[in-house]
Amino acid sequence: MGEAAVQPELDTFPAAKMAQTNPLPVPMGPWKITVYDQENFQGKRMEFTSACPNIMECSFDNIRSLKVECGAWVGYEHTGFCGQQFTLERGEYPRWDAWSGSNAYHIERLMSFRPICSANHKESKITVYEKDNFIGRQWELSDDYPSLQAMGWANNEVVTGHGWACYQYPGYRGYQYVLEADHHGGDYKHWREWGSHAQTCQIQSIRRIQQ
């Protein structure tokens, strides 16, 4: 249940290097999550108050249900904070589709997770840009938008801000990207920095993460 070790830099560039989202060690805070190896909160259980880079090291083969009791978390499809991301806010998740049901993809694996340290729902702001390296038209947001296109924003590649969940499609569907102030200095210059699973620059809905 210790803090995650920082993985060494990858030699390939730019795609592999830009996809690294492994967090630096974080201080202890008001976070608590309980995970189970069976659905509906059955089977083996374990409580965490800090990041877990590999649930298999805790004798779990997978996480099949969980309860977030304090703070906001992000779960990952693979170990080492890689693969698809799942925003985990306070509440109960009896099976995999409770955390990925709005994700347009069938993913039953959740193998690592960590707290979202910069989530601050009341003070969250984010700026989106048309092109990478913060070039082109920009738009500052401080509210939830289920459809950016409906608000007149057709294209966006780059974001800067903290404590936000961005989605590939309108209505908070598709790939999820958790964007934080304490990663990349809060500035994401290229869409590949959004996560190791990022395949496109497309973001069509965005919302603040609830603590």
Side-chain angles (χ1 to χ4, degrees):
M1 295 196 299
E3 296 168 347
V6 180
Q7 292 189 347
E9 288 285 329
L10 299 179
D11 292 330
T12 53
F13 186 86
K17 185 174 182 180
M18 296 179 74
Q20 285 188 298
T21 56
N22 291 6
L24 295 172
V26 298
M28 296 298 291
W31 303 294
K32 184 178 179 181
I33 187 171
T34 303
V35 301
Y36 301 80
D37 70 346
Q38 300 299 326
E39 295 181 354
N40 298 308
F41 318 115
Q42 301 295 314
K44 185 185 302 182
R45 65 185 291 273
M46 187 168 290
E47 295 181 355
F48 293 82
T49 56
S50 60
C52 174
N54 186 353
I55 195 62
M56 291 190 292
E57 294 179 352
C58 301
S59 300
F60 278 62
D61 67 334
N62 192 9
I63 296 172
R64 296 182 175 86
S65 57
L66 61 89
K67 296 179 181 180
V68 176
E69 299 175 54
C70 193
W73 299 71
V74 54
Y76 293 85
E77 176 187 5
H78 301 304
T79 61
F81 313 111
C82 293
Q84 292 198 44
Q85 303 172 7
F86 309 104
T87 306
L88 305 173
E89 293 156 312
R90 187 175 301 180
E92 298 186 349
Y93 301 78
R95 47 181 274 126
W96 67 270
D97 51 5
W99 61 73
S100 66
S102 62
N103 189 322
Y105 311 96
H106 185 112
I107 301 293
E108 296 189 26
R109 291 172 58 86
L110 199 162
M111 303 300 293
S112 57
F113 52 89
R114 61 175 178 81
I116 301 175
C117 305
S118 61
N120 187 336
H121 184 268
K122 293 182 179 180
E123 299 180 6
S124 290
K125 291 184 180 180
I126 191 167
T127 304
V128 297
Y129 297 81
E130 280 186 298
K131 302 177 180 180
D132 56 8
N133 292 312
F134 314 115
I135 296 174
R137 188 164 57 112
Q138 66 184 73
W139 189 16
E140 183 175 289
L141 311 175
S142 58
D143 203 351
D144 302 343
Y145 289 86
S147 175
L148 292 176
Q149 189 171 12
M151 300 300 295
W153 187 266
N155 300 304
N156 54 284
E157 269 203 10
V158 182
V159 296
T160 175
H162 60 85
W164 291 79
C166 302
Y167 297 81
Q168 182 181 8
Y169 300 124
Y172 313 120
R173 297 178 300 109
Y175 287 131
Q176 301 180 37
Y177 308 105
V178 175
L179 306 178
E180 302 159 88
D182 50 356
H183 288 245
H184 302 282
D187 296 336
Y188 296 77
K189 297 180 180 180
H190 193 281
W191 58 267
R192 289 190 183 276
E193 296 180 338
W194 298 346
S196 63
H197 64 307
Q199 302 294 322
T200 173
C201 67
Q202 179 174 303
I203 286 180
Q204 295 190 3
S205 54
I206 188 170
R207 68 177 181 84
R208 297 161 292 175
I209 294 174
Q210 302 274 358
Q211 264 289 22

